[in-house]
């Protein structure tokens, strides 16, 4: 709340994550109102627990605090922080100003990290709760896409060079599998979060032992339960271990890597004209080239995913330099990296859901590319068919080698189509199998078990993972600017 620029003014910098990209609900979780309202809630929970355990705190004081949880004078808090150079004490005074009867017991026995760290853990938990269904919806949309196109043959690529055929649905399952791992990791990290609790200045709970004359063992547990956590750390310094931040941001960075790979694939397929992301009726692809249909959404995802992947370096370095029970050089860094990681992940998932709800496939373009490459891939099948018809493998291999070189020359030097099959069709040597060529060149015979793999993967791994999120599956993505 220290004085800064006018963040609502066009003359002041505003984070594009908040002003342009991220959802209102994620922005609210990281807002000042949510943060400081949670501080007040933590002070209330502490006072309620202390009253229950016998401290002389009245019902009137408790009610006064309850009635003013939302009554935050942000201007006063900013002035107090400027005067005191301490954000927590500024809000203790601001809360006390509107709760004069309770002012003397607000923050009783606590340290700044009681509200600061516990609020951060509540925010992390709630932010993860926002991301989980969004990621589940992306997986669900892609699963629908994969199921519908499980048997549609397409040219596979290794090293971005033509390889064996796969199917459009099978390729999509490569994307889904990575996202399923991300969903499981997000859920694990969310469920593993522990409350810092009521631990005092260096984590020893010494101040509460003195306050309760040696009998405070229930206080930590009571406040932890009020905050909705199943467990609290037994061991802390002044802060919860900053390795928690590493765990959380590592999972988000991993999600960023998954999304970057998916959207890069979509961008490459857009260049091949095999697949496109949604393109709105009045959308402009280029200010100079009216015909352009740039993959803007996928490019946005890649751009932000790169930022998300780099943010994990902040908590890694922060955790490594936390001297003894704590040092304050984590504070400013964490204000930035934690919020940015979640707002970035939120933007990416909203955008990827929008993409996955409107992916367009061009089967005729895919078929044409297959026809260009399939003749070369089919040569082994042709050789086997000739051998079955009584031919020599060595003779057939040499014949096809010569014809293949001629066809390759047409493609590479003349820019023509692959005419290997036409050459085989007019060569009398291959007359025993001319009637089999259509069957030997059926693309579906080159995709192996791809369609069955799609069905099994969706039924055994994807749909069970999505089951807890069924109630939110119908929500559509709203694309921000």
């Amino acid at each position: 709340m220290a004085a800064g620029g006018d963040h609502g003014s066009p003359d002041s910098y505003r984070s594009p994550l908040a002003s342009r990209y991220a959802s209102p609900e994620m922005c609210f979780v990281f807002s000042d109102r949510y943060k400081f309202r949670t501080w007040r809630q933590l002070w209330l929970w502490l006072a309620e627990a202390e009253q229950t355990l016998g401290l002389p705190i009245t019902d009137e004081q408790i009610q006064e605090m309850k009635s003013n949880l939302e009554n935050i004078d942000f201007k006063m808090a900013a002035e107090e922080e400027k005067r005191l150079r301490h954000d927590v004490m500024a809000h203790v005074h601001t809360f006390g100003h509107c709760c004069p009867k309770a002012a003397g017991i607000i923050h009783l026995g606590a340290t700044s990290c009681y509200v600061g760290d516990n609020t951060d853990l509540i925010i992390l938990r709630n932010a993860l709760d926002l991301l989980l269904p969004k990621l589940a919806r992306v997986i669900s949309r892609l699963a629908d896409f994969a199921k519908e196109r499980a048997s549609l043959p397409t040219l596979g690529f290794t090293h971005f060079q033509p390889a064996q055929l796969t199917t459009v649905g099978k390729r999509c399952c490569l994307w889904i599998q990575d996202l399923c791992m991300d969903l499981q990791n997000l859920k694990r990290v969310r469920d593993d979060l522990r409350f810092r609790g009521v631990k005092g200045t260096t984590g020893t709970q010494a101040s509460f032992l003195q306050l309760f004359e040696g009998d405070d063992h229930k206080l930590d547990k009571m406040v932890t339960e009020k905050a909705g956590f199943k467990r609290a750390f037994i061991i802390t310094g002044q802060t919860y271990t900053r390795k928690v931040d590493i765990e959380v941001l590592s999972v988000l960075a991993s999600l960023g890597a998954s999304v970057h790979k998916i959207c890069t694939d979509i961008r490459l397929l857009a260049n091949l004209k095999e697949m496109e992301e949604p393109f709105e009726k009045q959308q402009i692809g280029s200010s100079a080239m009216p015909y352009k249909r740039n993959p803007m959404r996928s490019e946005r995802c890649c751009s932000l995913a790169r930022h998300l992947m780099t943010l994990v370096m902040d908590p890694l370095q922060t955790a490594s330099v936390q001297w003894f029970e704590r040092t304050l050089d984590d504070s400013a860094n964490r204000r930035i990296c934690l919020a940015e990681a979640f707002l970035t992940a939120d933007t990416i998932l909203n955008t990827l859901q929008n993409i996955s709800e409107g992916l367009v496939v061009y089967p005729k373009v895919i078929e044409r590319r297959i026809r260009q490459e399939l003749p070369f891939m089919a040569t082994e099948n042709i050789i086997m068919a000739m051998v079955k018809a009584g031919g020599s493998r060595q003779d057939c291999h040499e014949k096809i080698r010569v014809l293949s070189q001629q066809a390759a020359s047409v493609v590479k030097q003349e820019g023509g189509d692959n005419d290997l099959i036409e050459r085989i069709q007019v060569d009398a040597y291959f007359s025993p199998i001319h009637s089999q060529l259509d069957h030997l060149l059926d693309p579906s015979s080159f995709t192996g078990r791809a369609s069955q793999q799609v069905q099994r993967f969706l039924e055994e791994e994807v749909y069970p993972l999505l089951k807890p999120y069924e109630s939110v599956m119908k929500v559509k993505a709203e694309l921000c600017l």
Side-chain angles (χ1 to χ4, degrees):
M1 294 296 296
D6 181 357
H7 301 299
S9 167
D11 298 323
S12 178
Y13 173 79
R14 293 183 298 162
S15 167
L17 290 169
S19 65
R20 186 177 181 89
Y21 296 132
S23 67
E25 60 268 21
M26 186 62 79
C27 289
F28 178 69
V29 167
F30 286 93
S31 69
D32 281 352
R33 184 171 300 280
Y34 189 83
K35 174 181 177 180
F36 297 128
R37 199 268 183 204
T38 305
W39 282 16
R40 292 189 173 191
Q41 183 66 68
L42 283 159
W43 282 320
L44 173 62
W45 286 332
L46 179 63
E48 289 175 335
E50 288 174 338
Q51 182 194 47
T52 300
L53 294 174
L55 290 190
I57 294 173
T58 67
D59 290 342
E60 189 178 18
Q61 289 173 313
I62 295 293
Q63 186 55 49
E64 189 179 50
M65 293 173 72
K66 281 184 180 178
S67 299
N68 286 281
L69 291 177
E70 304 285 354
N71 182 24
I72 304 174
D73 186 337
F74 289 98
K75 182 179 180 181
M76 178 182 179
E79 291 170 352
E80 285 291 308
E81 184 174 352
K82 188 174 182 180
R83 180 175 69 88
L84 301 172
R85 311 307 299 176
H86 197 288
D87 56 350
V88 173
M89 287 307 299
H91 279 270
V92 168
H93 288 192
T94 303
F95 195 18
H97 180 75
C98 59
C99 298
K101 294 175 182 177
I105 56 95
I106 292 172
H107 199 67
L108 182 60
T111 185
S112 297
C113 286
Y114 166 70
V115 288
D117 272 31
N118 284 324
T119 292
D120 285 346
L121 289 163
I122 291 170
I123 287 173
L124 292 179
R125 180 188 63 189
N126 294 350
L128 287 166
D129 284 341
L130 287 176
L131 291 184
L132 282 164
K134 292 187 178 191
L135 178 51
R137 287 197 293 267
V138 170
I139 294 171
S140 176
R141 304 303 192 266
L142 291 175
D144 292 342
F145 179 89
K147 183 177 181 180
E148 184 179 345
R149 295 164 181 83
S151 301
L152 179 60
T154 190
L155 183 63
F157 292 96
T158 58
H159 315 276
F160 202 28
Q161 301 299 315
Q164 288 188 344
L165 299 192
T166 183
T167 70
V168 173
K170 170 65 187 301
R171 174 179 284 152
C172 183
C173 284
L174 296 176
W175 304 339
I176 295 170
Q177 182 167 252
D178 288 352
L179 294 176
C180 284
M181 294 173 67
D182 294 319
L183 185 67
Q184 290 171 308
N185 287 334
L186 279 173
K187 184 67 166 62
R188 173 186 54 79
V189 166
R190 188 258 182 244
D191 291 345
D192 284 349
L193 284 177
R194 286 185 278 176
F195 204 50
R196 178 192 176 271
V198 188
K199 298 295 195 298
T201 54
T202 57
T204 65
Q205 298 173 295
S207 57
F208 294 101
L209 276 175
Q210 183 176 359
L211 194 62
F212 286 93
E213 298 180 355
D215 186 21
D216 75 319
H217 63 284
K218 294 181 181 178
L219 182 65
D220 198 12
K221 187 173 185 293
M222 289 178 67
V223 177
T224 298
E225 289 174 352
K226 285 176 179 289
F229 283 81
K230 295 179 180 178
R231 296 184 302 159
F233 284 101
I234 297 172
I235 297 295
T236 73
Q238 191 173 93
T239 70
Y240 69 78
T241 172
R242 295 311 184 213
K243 284 186 72 69
V244 173
D245 298 342
I246 297 174
E247 289 288 309
V248 174
L249 264 64
S250 291
V251 170
L252 297 182
S254 183
L255 171 64
S258 300
V259 174
H260 199 293
K261 185 263 193 288
I262 293 167
C263 290
T264 299
D265 284 356
I266 293 172
R267 292 165 66 191
L268 293 171
L269 290 168
N271 174 264
L272 297 175
K273 297 180 173 60
E274 293 187 10
M275 184 186 294
E276 282 183 346
E277 65 180 36
F279 197 89
E280 296 171 22
K281 187 176 181 180
Q282 295 185 331
Q283 183 175 332
I284 294 174
S286 167
S287 61
M289 295 167 279
Y291 60 87
K292 293 281 295 282
R293 291 172 68 96
N294 298 335
M296 172 270 290
R297 294 164 172 82
S298 298
E299 290 173 320
R300 176 185 295 177
C301 284
C302 289
S303 181
L304 291 172
R306 288 200 300 273
H307 179 58
L308 180 56
M309 287 186 282
T310 65
L311 288 174
V312 72
M313 292 305 300
D314 277 337
L316 281 168
Q317 295 185 66
T318 294
S320 72
V321 296
Q322 289 304 287
W323 304 345
F324 304 113
E325 281 65 47
R326 81 94 34 109
T327 177
L328 197 61
D329 66 348
D330 61 337
S331 178
N333 186 288
R334 293 175 70 253
R335 287 176 191 267
I336 298 168
C337 71
L338 295 181
E340 287 209 351
F342 277 96
L343 267 64
T344 303
D346 178 75
T347 303
I348 287 171
L349 289 178
N350 288 340
T351 310
L352 186 57
Q353 182 183 336
N354 177 267
I355 292 170
S356 60
E357 287 172 350
L359 281 173
V360 180
V361 176
Y362 296 105
K364 294 296 183 182
V365 177
I366 294 173
E367 182 183 340
R368 183 177 185 275
R369 183 158 285 108
I370 289 175
R371 287 201 308 269
Q372 288 289 311
E373 301 294 339
L374 191 59
F376 295 139
M377 298 177 192
T379 53
E380 183 65 22
N381 290 5
I382 292 171
I383 291 172
M384 297 302 294
M386 281 294 295
V387 171
K388 287 181 181 179
S392 162
R393 184 194 181 283
Q394 285 71 25
D395 291 344
C396 184
H397 184 280
E398 178 59 20
K399 280 277 188 181
I400 290 180
R401 186 190 69 81
V402 172
L403 295 179
S404 295
Q405 294 295 331
Q406 293 170 354
S409 178
V410 170
V411 172
K412 294 179 179 180
Q413 296 184 25
E414 300 176 20
D417 292 336
N418 187 335
D419 62 359
L420 174 59
I421 299 306
E422 287 83 351
R423 293 175 186 272
I424 291 174
Q425 285 173 331
V426 299
D427 192 316
Y429 175 81
F430 293 97
S431 58
I433 63 164
H434 280 166
S435 62
Q436 302 178 43
L437 285 176
D438 286 344
H439 172 70
L440 293 172
L441 291 165
D442 180 5
S444 63
S445 66
F446 289 83
T447 59
R449 295 179 54 82
S451 61
Q452 294 96 320
Q453 288 176 344
V454 170
Q455 181 177 354
R456 183 183 171 197
F457 172 62
L458 295 178
E459 290 179 354
E460 294 184 16
E461 298 190 26
V462 179
Y463 295 146
L465 193 62
L466 296 179
K467 197 167 184 61
Y469 306 97
E470 286 178 346
S471 63
V472 297
M473 283 304 171
K474 292 182 180 179
V475 179
K476 292 286 185 179
E478 292 188 15
L479 190 66
C480 296
L481 286 175

